[in-house]
Amino acid sequence: MRRATLLRMMPGLAVILAIAVVTLFSALRPEPVARAAGGGALTPVRFNMSWLPQGSMAGVFVAMDRGYYADAGLRVEAMRGFGGTRTVNELDRGMFEFGYVDPLSVAMNRASGGHARLVGGINMRFPAGACFVRERHRIDTPADLAGLTFGAGLNSAVQTLLPAWLRRNGVDPARVRQIQLDPAVVVAALIEGKVDAAECWLGNSMALFQKRAKAAGVTIGRLDYADFGFDVYGSGIATRDALIARDPDLVRRFLAATYRGYADAARDPDAALAIIRRHFPLLDAGVTRQQIVETARLMAGTHRFDPARIARTTDFLKAAGRPGGDLPADALFTNEFLDGKAAQ
């Protein structure tokens, strides 16, 4: 399948601007709360967000701001990432204690000899889909993608499964031209007509697509992958086997504080928005609030993983001929740190 690089797709100026924005946000991290219950020393924990600060990370920032991590004896630093595939590999190498990753990336990591493992869910429904501009195309089913150009971000694990998803829906993958782009320019590529459809995510880029479309005087349509046979989990919190074995209590404390923050964000998205924007004032208020609300909906219910749904992930990898398709479901996750609790 033909692929084009970012330099073929976007002018040099756009690349420079994207790098500038990424660099700026990378430097703007909130200071951790400097207190601990009982006055003890805080254990440093690095958390990879898999991308830039945004509303989907509201629970983490609320937990920082309100001292939930400090109460658990932790000093958490949220660090930017570069997509799920890279994040899980860096996590496996010990560069971070925890990361925001998806089962697809975990499966491919373990198939390559890695030891990453999901320990709690966030997006309990798969949040990705194909966005398009309604004024240019009508896309009601995967068959309508035939003959179109489809753009998605580098390091998105879903790209590896798109051909299998198309075949499962009766579409010859060769009829969809798949293009890899820098994630920072995927939205612009669709709005400007450089691609016909683009990967979009609830709790993440969906709000950006809609904002840019409104400014351009067009409207966004969306084809939800989960409505057409891709019923798998989205992203969750992962760590590595070595940390689970060495300090299971740290894993339990980190998850409990994180979910406490997400519960607060779901109950009061405006307060969560205020916390995030106090640390990251350049974030768009409307976009960030929409991401917070969408993430709360994706999290509704339990944080625990169902082995049967995890197995659907490996089934897709096997159908795509990708590493990880033969892994047992329980190699990718554990529910032992969730104590049977659902979202509050």
Side-chain angles (χ1 to χ4, degrees):
M1 184 176 293
R2 293 184 59 190
R3 299 179 185 270
T5 65
L6 170 63
L7 293 178
R8 294 194 189 103
M9 286 294 299
M10 306 300 281
L13 179 59
V15 177
I16 294 171
L17 290 174
I19 293 172
V21 170
V22 166
T23 302
L24 176 62
F25 275 108
S26 297
L28 292 172
R29 296 195 193 103
E31 291 297 320
V33 178
R35 64 181 178 84
L42 298 173
T43 300
V45 169
R46 297 159 298 178
F47 174 75
N48 187 310
M49 298 181 288
S50 192
W51 187 228
L52 299 170
Q54 58 184 5
S56 62
M57 295 292 101
V60 175
F61 294 123
V62 169
M64 284 180 177
D65 191 85
R66 294 184 173 173
Y68 298 162
Y69 289 126
D71 290 345
L74 308 175
R75 178 172 57 82
V76 173
E77 181 180 12
M79 308 179 76
R80 70 141 308 166
F82 297 87
T85 302
R86 176 167 164 176
T87 294
V88 76
N89 291 331
E90 291 177 344
L91 176 70
D92 184 50
R93 292 198 295 270
M95 296 172 64
F96 311 96
E97 280 68 47
F98 298 94
Y100 176 69
V101 300
D102 56 90
L104 298 170
S105 297
V106 171
M108 289 187 287
N109 167 265
R110 295 191 73 92
S112 300
H115 300 88
R117 188 181 296 269
L118 287 158
V119 291
I122 293 180
N123 296 330
M124 305 309 287
R125 173 179 167 85
F126 196 66
C131 277
F132 57 95
V133 174
R134 292 186 183 277
E135 287 77 6
R136 298 179 195 144
H137 299 285
R138 178 173 177 175
I139 302 177
D140 296 320
T141 70
D144 297 323
L145 291 169
L148 302 184
T149 300
F150 184 91
L154 297 166
N155 292 318
S156 168
V158 178
Q159 288 225 56
T160 66
L161 300 191
L162 185 65
W165 178 75
L166 290 169
R167 280 193 294 269
R168 191 165 289 191
N169 284 279
V171 183
D172 181 357
R175 298 195 63 201
V176 180
R177 185 184 179 211
Q178 190 177 350
I179 297 175
Q180 291 185 335
L181 301 170
D182 186 296
V185 299
V186 172
V187 175
L190 179 68
I191 302 303
E192 295 170 10
K194 292 180 170 63
V195 295
D196 301 308
E199 190 172 283
C200 55
W201 298 75
L202 295 171
N204 184 319
S205 60
M206 189 66 202
L208 294 169
F209 277 101
Q210 291 173 333
K211 180 185 177 181
R212 287 291 298 270
K214 183 177 181 180
V218 296
T219 53
I220 293 293
R222 187 174 189 273
L223 190 71
D224 193 326
Y225 293 153
D227 288 340
F228 292 91
F230 204 19
D231 182 24
V232 299
Y233 290 113
S235 297
I237 298 170
T239 186
R240 59 190 182 280
D241 289 342
L243 181 60
I244 291 173
R246 183 178 72 249
D247 198 344
D249 184 59
L250 185 150
V251 179
R252 183 170 283 103
R253 285 182 285 136
F254 177 81
L255 286 176
T258 300
Y259 287 132
R260 188 179 174 190
Y262 273 110
D264 283 6
R267 280 191 294 265
D268 193 345
D270 291 320
L273 173 64
I275 288 171
I276 295 176
R277 294 195 74 231
R278 185 161 64 248
H279 297 295
F280 304 100
L282 295 183
L283 290 177
D284 180 273
V287 167
T288 306
R289 191 185 189 284
Q290 182 175 332
Q291 291 169 337
I292 294 170
V293 171
E294 289 174 350
T295 299
R297 291 171 182 162
L298 291 165
M299 288 185 72
T302 180
H303 307 311
R304 299 173 66 84
F305 296 108
D306 175 7
R309 287 189 70 195
I310 290 286
R312 292 187 197 123
T313 296
T314 55
D315 287 344
F316 258 100
L317 286 168
K318 189 171 185 177
R322 297 286 180 169
D326 294 324
L327 289 172
D330 60 7
L332 309 188
F333 77 100
T334 176
N335 286 323
E336 67 177 292
F337 302 106
L338 299 179
D339 300 322
K341 295 180 180 179
Q344 303 297 313

